Amino acid sequence: MQRSLTGIKPSNAPHLGNYLGAIRPALRLAQEYESFLFIADYHALTSLRDAAKMKAYTYDVAATWLACGLDPRTIHLYRQSDVTEVFELAWVLACLIATGQLERGVSYKDALAKGEAPNAGIFTYPVLMAADIILYDADVVPVGKDQLQHVEVARDVALRFNHVFGGEILHVPEAQITEAPLVPGTDGHKMSKSRDNGIPLFAPPKKLRQVVMKIVTGGDPLEARSEARGSTVWELYRLVASESEVRAMEESLRRPDFGWGHAKQVLYEALEAELGPRRAIYDALRADEAELDIVLQEGAERVRPIARETLRRVRGAVGMRA
Ligand code: ADP
Ligand code: TRP
């Protein structure tokens, strides 16, 4: 069975962009692939310096995956930091990645562009991410568009390793851009934890409605609604509604008595239909951190032998005791 793998950073509670761009597609893939879904806490450490938040967001992400339908008996769910073998592989890979490739890294360039003084963790972010992927011989990596470059680094270094050390030692992964590669946030830009434009996944219905009503539409409530298509409300709606429902919204928006406020109400109801049933499950799971710890630790125990086997091949190939 082929393997699919993806990670989410516990740098905040997951938002709708994470759900539509990563969680939902990854869970769909899990029907065909052996799936590895992990919490990238060491990646979060590049920007998060608050132990209480790190813990809380880790449980938020774990409970989100489980509430969205992940069955921990068949899908491997684990913390990145529970399988420290990843660092041994990261070092080996770092020795094969040119600094020039890391200098072209999007996260690193972004930090520089914002005038920040990026830490070495941000610079070497793609190295650790390549190790995350290669450690488990992943075939496909479902991610949003923003992560494509990172998966390319993983591909490049696996190919280089095999070329340099001779043979098919490392598996070469492939990115799979998901059906929602760039979910817009309430301000129309990419929904992101670092911008204040997220639609929370499991906030109470009232809060969810409030945020949906904040979506920027650029037109008067009842006038000047030119085209639904391409608007943020439409972009979000088509990810949670059927084709006929989307067409119905387009039609309605051409009517003089149906404005953006109405369209947002329709969007809110569709989101509530998708997320509402999972909210209670999420709340129950999130309330039991000890149980979440058990699930995550069991996941790590299950994947560790795979990590060790990859390292055995790698150590042998580079001339160390395997
Ligand atoms: P953020 O970008 O908000 O910090 P992460 O970097 O933790 O979120 O992203 C976790 C996963 O969710 C990645 O696969 C990423 O591509 C996906 N993702 C994040 N934001 C979006 C978005 N707006 N649209 C589509 N996918 C997204
Ligand atoms: N960098 C990813 C993000 O910010 C999270 C991540 C870490 C990841 N390691 C990964 C995603 C390996 C896919 C595969 O979203």
Side-chain angles (χ1 to χ4, degrees):
M1 201 179 199
Q2 290 216 317
R3 289 182 177 160
S4 143
L5 173 145
T6 201
I8 292 196
K9 279 185 295 186
S11 46
N12 212 326
H15 53 64
L16 188 68
N18 298 137
Y19 172 72
L20 298 172
I23 296 174
R24 195 174 69 175
L27 291 176
R28 281 191 187 147
L29 273 185
Q31 292 164 10
E32 287 168 59
Y33 291 82
E34 179 183 5
S35 290
F36 295 69
L37 304 173
F38 71 97
I39 300 171
D41 46 3
Y42 271 121
H43 276 112
L45 193 61
T46 58
S47 58
L48 182 64
R49 277 82 191 266
D50 182 320
K53 283 189 181 157
M54 178 72 88
K55 277 192 184 158
Y57 295 153
T58 297
Y59 293 128
D60 289 349
V61 176
T64 299
W65 278 115
L66 293 166
C68 292
L70 181 153
D71 178 354
R73 289 167 306 182
T74 54
I75 297 177
H76 311 302
L77 176 69
Y78 55 97
R79 273 192 186 94
Q80 183 185 35
S81 59
D82 279 342
V83 192
T84 51
E85 281 80 356
V86 74
F87 288 104
E88 193 173 340
L89 182 60
W91 178 263
V92 175
L93 301 181
C95 295
L96 289 176
I97 297 176
T99 50
Q101 188 168 21
L102 299 180
E103 273 158 12
R104 290 190 295 276
V106 278
S107 314
Y108 176 65
K109 283 205 312 197
D110 265 9
L112 287 181
K114 282 191 219 144
E116 293 167 9
N119 57 57
I122 293 198
F123 187 63
T124 54
Y125 191 106
V127 180
L128 181 57
M129 184 155 157
D132 287 331
I133 297 168
I134 292 171
L135 195 59
Y136 301 104
D137 294 330
D139 295 285
V140 297
V141 184
V143 281
K145 243 185 189 148
D146 56 324
Q147 298 298 317
L148 195 54
Q149 191 197 45
H150 292 149
V151 182
E152 283 301 314
V153 174
R155 272 184 75 78
D156 286 354
V157 73
L159 287 165
R160 197 166 315 131
F161 185 100
N162 289 343
H163 179 71
V164 170
F165 293 104
E168 296 282 302
I169 302 150
L170 298 183
H171 203 78
V172 182
E174 211 170 297
Q176 192 174 89
I177 293 302
T178 60
E179 73 256 21
L182 235 174
V183 179
T186 50
D187 60 358
H189 297 284
K190 177 194 173 250
M191 191 181 297
S192 169
K193 289 170 195 149
S194 52
R195 297 177 79 103
D196 192 20
N197 69 353
I199 297 183
L201 261 192
F202 295 124
K206 210 171 141 198
K207 169 80 186 160
L208 175 62
R209 188 169 182 281
Q210 237 173 33
V211 178
V212 169
M213 290 298 161
K214 253 183 27 191
I215 295 173
V216 173
T217 45
D220 293 331
L222 272 174
E223 300 159 42
R225 311 171 308 270
S226 43
E227 254 305 279
R229 223 165 250 264
S231 70
T232 304
V233 173
W234 181 84
E235 285 288 346
L236 291 170
Y237 189 58
R238 76 190 177 88
L239 294 170
V240 286
S242 68
E243 263 177 51
S244 60
E245 289 169 325
V246 175
R247 270 199 308 275
M249 181 190 273
E250 289 170 8
E251 295 289 317
S252 302
L253 273 165
R254 290 195 197 105
R255 291 196 337 244
D257 60 338
F258 188 98
W260 285 117
H262 301 101
K264 288 180 191 177
Q265 177 64 27
V266 172
L267 170 63
Y268 158 70
E269 283 164 17
L271 287 173
E272 184 54 30
E274 171 103 13
L275 303 172
R278 304 198 166 100
R279 188 183 292 117
I281 305 173
Y282 173 84
D283 289 341
L285 289 161
R286 182 63 186 81
D288 192 349
E289 295 183 350
E291 178 58 28
L292 291 172
D293 271 327
I294 293 174
V295 169
L296 291 173
Q297 276 164 32
E298 280 177 0
E301 292 312 316
R302 212 152 2 111
V303 299
R304 184 170 296 111
I306 304 170
R308 293 229 165 111
E309 169 53 27
T310 306
L311 279 178
R312 196 191 57 73
R313 296 195 318 262
V314 166
R315 291 170 61 105
V318 303
M320 290 168 186
R321 192 167 56 81

